[in-house]
């Protein structure tokens, strides 16, 4: 069974984005680092939120297989946007911390999670994604 969600934005990066049904609506704005006012949200923030949540779920789904307590996992996703040769490009760093867990086990878990996370699948081969175990 598929799940579909729909969002509509009017005005691009300086507009307003809303989920169908109105459960979430956000004022959008260019970040200050890109010359904007920074007084709203931006697509990179939303991508970071979604990716960290999705990757965290992949950790939870696979933790037992790796003999790690996935409920203790903290997943931080940094999304960078910068100019490349032709326009703009994204890059991602995923940082995973599981206090008290064996680092080698966590590294194996993170690699495994990266293979099943839908965001990781969508970005694979399209943007650089770095995995870091803290």
């Amino acid at each position: 069974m598929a799940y579909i969600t729909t969002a509509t934005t009017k005005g691009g990066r300086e507009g307003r984005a809303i989920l169908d049904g109105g459960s979430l609506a956000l004022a959008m704005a260019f970040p200050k680092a890109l010359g904007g006012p920074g007084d709203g949200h931006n697509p990179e923030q939303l991508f970071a939120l979604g990716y960290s949540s999705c990757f965290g779920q992949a950790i939870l789904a696979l933790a037992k297989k790796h003999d790690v307590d996935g409920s203790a996992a903290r997943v931080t996703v940094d999304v960078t946007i910068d100019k490349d040769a032709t326009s703009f490009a994204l890059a991602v760093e995923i940082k995973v911390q599981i206090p008290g867990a064996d680092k080698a086990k966590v590294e194996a878990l993170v690699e495994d999670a990266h293979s099943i996370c839908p965001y990781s699948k969508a970005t694979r081969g399209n943007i650089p994604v770095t995995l870091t175990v803290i």
Side-chain angles (χ1 to χ4, degrees):
M1 177 160 73
Y3 167 74
I4 299 171
T5 188
T6 303
T8 303
T9 301
K10 182 177 179 188
R13 284 180 170 267
E14 294 294 327
R16 187 150 182 85
I18 187 168
L19 289 178
D20 273 8
S23 63
L24 179 64
L26 298 170
M28 305 299 284
F30 272 99
K32 282 186 181 184
L34 296 179
D39 59 354
H41 301 281
N42 61 68
E44 294 73 36
Q45 291 171 326
L46 302 177
F47 189 66
L49 284 169
Y51 206 158
S52 64
S53 176
C54 190
F55 201 88
Q57 190 61 43
I59 293 279
L60 287 170
L62 296 170
K64 188 174 182 178
K65 171 183 167 186
H66 291 273
D67 193 30
V68 172
D69 179 5
S71 67
R74 181 180 174 125
V75 178
T76 302
V77 172
D78 295 332
V79 175
T80 303
I81 185 168
D82 202 359
K83 288 189 175 197
D84 66 10
T86 58
S87 59
F88 287 89
L90 296 174
V92 169
E93 181 178 11
I94 301 170
K95 297 179 262 191
V96 178
Q97 181 179 19
I98 304 180
D102 178 78
K103 187 172 183 178
K105 288 181 180 181
V106 175
E107 287 171 344
L109 170 57
V110 167
E111 288 290 337
D112 206 5
H114 190 50
S115 73
I116 70 160
C117 172
Y119 275 69
S120 292
K121 288 180 178 184
T123 59
R124 191 165 292 117
N126 296 310
I127 65 172
V129 176
T130 304
L131 305 174
T132 304
V133 174
I134 300 170

